[in-house]
Amino acid sequence: MLQRVLDRLPIQKIDRQLPGEPITVEGRVIQPIAHVTGGYQTIDGATSGFRWASLRIVPSEIIVREANGEERRILITNPTRSTLLMFVIAGLSVAAGCVLIIAMHRVFVVLRARRGKGAEISAQSARLTEAAPEQATSDSPPDASAE
């Protein structure tokens, strides 16, 4: 029953940039920025309530403000994510290459079999035409006078 109630209530989505506290170092102001994603849901009943939330906080950039007013943004990349993505792409490439090689092998086997059958049929027809006069003489009943 609780699951039906949860399914009917909307989940509030969260997708925001969360600025951190600025830090001053040698005349520069450094401010970290994080990307917050997730959702939350609240159920208020007459006697009780239920709340849940799921958040993911990922550092996204650093803002550096110089003493002269110049501002730079330095993006933060996730090396683990980049490495895992490269492994996934490499794995999918190998799998696609294997599927292509298997498909090409099957096509070549079928073509070779067709070519081979054509050669066998022509060889069999040549043998049959050569053996036809011999069979005509050997199929005739043996001559009784020869015994």
Side-chain angles (χ1 to χ4, degrees):
M1 181 167 162
L2 179 62
Q3 186 63 38
R4 278 191 248 148
V5 172
L6 287 174
D7 290 340
R8 280 189 247 142
L9 293 172
I11 296 174
Q12 303 298 318
K13 300 281 183 186
I14 299 171
D15 188 12
R16 299 182 183 150
Q17 294 291 330
L18 180 65
E21 272 200 41
I23 302 167
T24 306
V25 177
E26 297 181 8
R28 295 182 177 133
V29 177
I30 301 171
Q31 183 177 19
I33 305 289
H35 188 199
V36 180
T37 56
Y40 67 94
Q41 193 172 37
T42 303
I43 301 169
D44 290 325
T47 58
S48 64
F50 175 77
R51 293 179 184 204
W52 69 266
S54 173
L55 296 176
R56 181 171 184 237
I57 303 172
V58 179
S60 59
E61 66 182 334
I62 297 173
I63 300 173
V64 179
R65 291 183 191 92
E66 300 290 338
N68 62 4
E70 182 182 332
E71 182 176 294
R72 290 184 292 149
R73 292 180 179 260
I74 302 169
L75 294 178
I76 299 173
T77 58
N78 185 346
T80 304
R81 183 177 179 186
S82 302
T83 305
L84 287 176
L85 182 62
M86 294 201 43
F87 279 129
V88 167
I89 290 171
L92 290 175
S93 300
V94 168
C98 290
V99 168
L100 182 64
I101 289 171
I102 291 169
M104 288 174 55
H105 180 265
R106 287 187 180 175
V107 167
F108 288 131
V109 166
V110 168
L111 289 176
R112 186 181 308 153
R114 286 184 185 166
R115 254 192 263 144
K117 284 182 184 176
E120 289 174 15
I121 292 171
S122 61
Q124 285 177 354
S125 63
R127 274 188 250 131
L128 288 176
T129 54
E130 290 172 4
E134 294 171 9
Q135 281 183 353
T137 57
S138 65
D139 285 344
S140 59
D143 207 11
S145 61
E147 291 178 11

Short mmCIF file of all heavy atoms in Angstrom, two decimals, residues 102-120:
data_model
loop_
_atom_site.label_atom_id
_atom_site.label_comp_id
_atom_site.label_asym_id
_atom_site.label_seq_id
_atom_site.Cartn_x
_atom_site.Cartn_y
_atom_site.Cartn_z
N ILE A 102 33.19 -12.74 -37.65
CA ILE A 102 32.35 -13.95 -37.70
C ILE A 102 31.40 -13.89 -38.88
O ILE A 102 31.21 -14.87 -39.60
CB ILE A 102 31.59 -14.11 -36.37
CG1 ILE A 102 32.57 -14.48 -35.25
CG2 ILE A 102 30.49 -15.16 -36.48
CD1 ILE A 102 31.97 -14.41 -33.86
N ALA A 103 30.77 -12.74 -39.12
CA ALA A 103 29.85 -12.60 -40.24
C ALA A 103 30.57 -12.79 -41.57
O ALA A 103 30.07 -13.49 -42.47
CB ALA A 103 29.17 -11.23 -40.19
N MET A 104 31.75 -12.20 -41.71
CA MET A 104 32.51 -12.35 -42.95
C MET A 104 32.92 -13.82 -43.14
O MET A 104 32.87 -14.35 -44.26
CB MET A 104 33.73 -11.44 -42.94
CG MET A 104 33.39 -9.98 -43.09
SD MET A 104 34.80 -8.87 -42.91
CE MET A 104 35.94 -9.50 -44.09
N HIS A 105 33.31 -14.49 -42.06
CA HIS A 105 33.70 -15.89 -42.15
C HIS A 105 32.53 -16.73 -42.65
O HIS A 105 32.68 -17.60 -43.51
CB HIS A 105 34.18 -16.39 -40.79
CG HIS A 105 34.59 -17.83 -40.80
ND1 HIS A 105 33.74 -18.82 -40.43
CD2 HIS A 105 35.76 -18.42 -41.15
CE1 HIS A 105 34.35 -19.98 -40.55
NE2 HIS A 105 35.59 -19.76 -40.98
N ARG A 106 31.35 -16.50 -42.10
CA ARG A 106 30.16 -17.27 -42.52
C ARG A 106 29.84 -17.01 -43.98
O ARG A 106 29.49 -17.94 -44.71
CB ARG A 106 28.98 -16.91 -41.64
CG ARG A 106 29.11 -17.50 -40.26
CD ARG A 106 27.88 -17.29 -39.44
NE ARG A 106 28.07 -17.89 -38.13
CZ ARG A 106 27.22 -17.80 -37.15
NH1 ARG A 106 26.09 -17.13 -37.33
NH2 ARG A 106 27.45 -18.37 -36.00
N VAL A 107 29.96 -15.78 -44.42
CA VAL A 107 29.68 -15.47 -45.83
C VAL A 107 30.67 -16.20 -46.73
O VAL A 107 30.30 -16.82 -47.73
CB VAL A 107 29.73 -13.94 -46.08
CG1 VAL A 107 29.77 -13.62 -47.56
CG2 VAL A 107 28.53 -13.27 -45.43
N PHE A 108 31.95 -16.17 -46.35
CA PHE A 108 32.96 -16.84 -47.17
C PHE A 108 32.77 -18.36 -47.17
O PHE A 108 32.99 -19.01 -48.18
CB PHE A 108 34.37 -16.47 -46.72
CG PHE A 108 34.76 -15.07 -47.08
CD1 PHE A 108 35.32 -14.23 -46.15
CD2 PHE A 108 34.55 -14.58 -48.37
CE1 PHE A 108 35.67 -12.93 -46.48
CE2 PHE A 108 34.89 -13.28 -48.71
CZ PHE A 108 35.45 -12.46 -47.77
N VAL A 109 32.35 -18.93 -46.04
CA VAL A 109 32.10 -20.37 -45.99
C VAL A 109 30.94 -20.73 -46.92
O VAL A 109 31.01 -21.72 -47.66
CB VAL A 109 31.82 -20.82 -44.54
CG1 VAL A 109 31.24 -22.21 -44.48
CG2 VAL A 109 33.09 -20.75 -43.72
N VAL A 110 29.89 -19.95 -46.90
CA VAL A 110 28.74 -20.22 -47.78
C VAL A 110 29.15 -20.08 -49.23
O VAL A 110 28.81 -20.92 -50.07
CB VAL A 110 27.56 -19.26 -47.43
CG1 VAL A 110 26.49 -19.31 -48.49
CG2 VAL A 110 27.00 -19.61 -46.07
N LEU A 111 29.91 -19.04 -49.56
CA LEU A 111 30.34 -18.85 -50.95
C LEU A 111 31.26 -19.99 -51.39
O LEU A 111 31.14 -20.49 -52.51
CB LEU A 111 31.05 -17.50 -51.11
CG LEU A 111 30.16 -16.27 -51.03
CD1 LEU A 111 31.01 -15.01 -51.12
CD2 LEU A 111 29.12 -16.28 -52.11
N ARG A 112 32.15 -20.41 -50.51
CA ARG A 112 33.06 -21.51 -50.86
C ARG A 112 32.27 -22.80 -51.05
O ARG A 112 32.55 -23.57 -51.96
CB ARG A 112 34.10 -21.69 -49.76
CG ARG A 112 35.15 -22.73 -50.16
CD ARG A 112 36.18 -22.96 -49.09
NE ARG A 112 36.78 -21.73 -48.62
CZ ARG A 112 37.29 -21.57 -47.41
NH1 ARG A 112 37.27 -22.58 -46.55
NH2 ARG A 112 37.84 -20.43 -47.04
N ALA A 113 31.27 -23.01 -50.21
CA ALA A 113 30.44 -24.22 -50.35
C ALA A 113 29.67 -24.20 -51.66
O ALA A 113 29.56 -25.22 -52.34
CB ALA A 113 29.50 -24.34 -49.16
N ARG A 114 29.15 -23.06 -52.02
CA ARG A 114 28.43 -22.96 -53.30
C ARG A 114 29.36 -23.19 -54.47
O ARG A 114 29.00 -23.87 -55.42
CB ARG A 114 27.76 -21.59 -53.42
CG ARG A 114 26.55 -21.45 -52.56
CD ARG A 114 25.87 -20.13 -52.79
NE ARG A 114 24.76 -19.97 -51.86
CZ ARG A 114 24.14 -18.84 -51.64
NH1 ARG A 114 24.52 -17.76 -52.29
NH2 ARG A 114 23.15 -18.78 -50.79
N ARG A 115 30.55 -22.59 -54.39
CA ARG A 115 31.53 -22.80 -55.46
C ARG A 115 31.94 -24.26 -55.51
O ARG A 115 32.07 -24.84 -56.56
CB ARG A 115 32.75 -21.90 -55.24
CG ARG A 115 32.78 -20.76 -56.20
CD ARG A 115 34.11 -20.06 -56.17
NE ARG A 115 33.98 -18.92 -55.28
CZ ARG A 115 34.89 -18.47 -54.47
NH1 ARG A 115 36.06 -19.06 -54.39
NH2 ARG A 115 34.67 -17.44 -53.71
N GLY A 116 32.15 -24.86 -54.36
CA GLY A 116 32.56 -26.26 -54.28
C GLY A 116 31.48 -27.18 -54.81
O GLY A 116 31.75 -28.13 -55.52
N LYS A 117 30.21 -26.90 -54.49
CA LYS A 117 29.10 -27.71 -55.00
C LYS A 117 28.99 -27.58 -56.50
O LYS A 117 28.73 -28.56 -57.20
CB LYS A 117 27.78 -27.30 -54.34
CG LYS A 117 27.64 -27.78 -52.92
CD LYS A 117 26.30 -27.37 -52.35
CE LYS A 117 26.20 -27.78 -50.91
NZ LYS A 117 24.95 -27.32 -50.30
N GLY A 118 29.20 -26.39 -57.00
CA GLY A 118 29.16 -26.21 -58.46
C GLY A 118 30.25 -27.00 -59.14
O GLY A 118 30.04 -27.64 -60.17
N ALA A 119 31.43 -27.03 -58.56
CA ALA A 119 32.54 -27.80 -59.12
C ALA A 119 32.26 -29.28 -59.00
O ALA A 119 32.53 -30.06 -59.93
CB ALA A 119 33.83 -27.44 -58.41
N GLU A 120 31.65 -29.72 -57.86
CA GLU A 120 31.32 -31.13 -57.70
C GLU A 120 30.27 -31.57 -58.70
O GLU A 120 30.36 -32.65 -59.28
CB GLU A 120 30.82 -31.39 -56.29
CG GLU A 120 31.89 -31.31 -55.22
CD GLU A 120 31.31 -31.42 -53.82
OE1 GLU A 120 30.15 -31.85 -53.70
OE2 GLU A 120 32.02 -31.08 -52.88
#
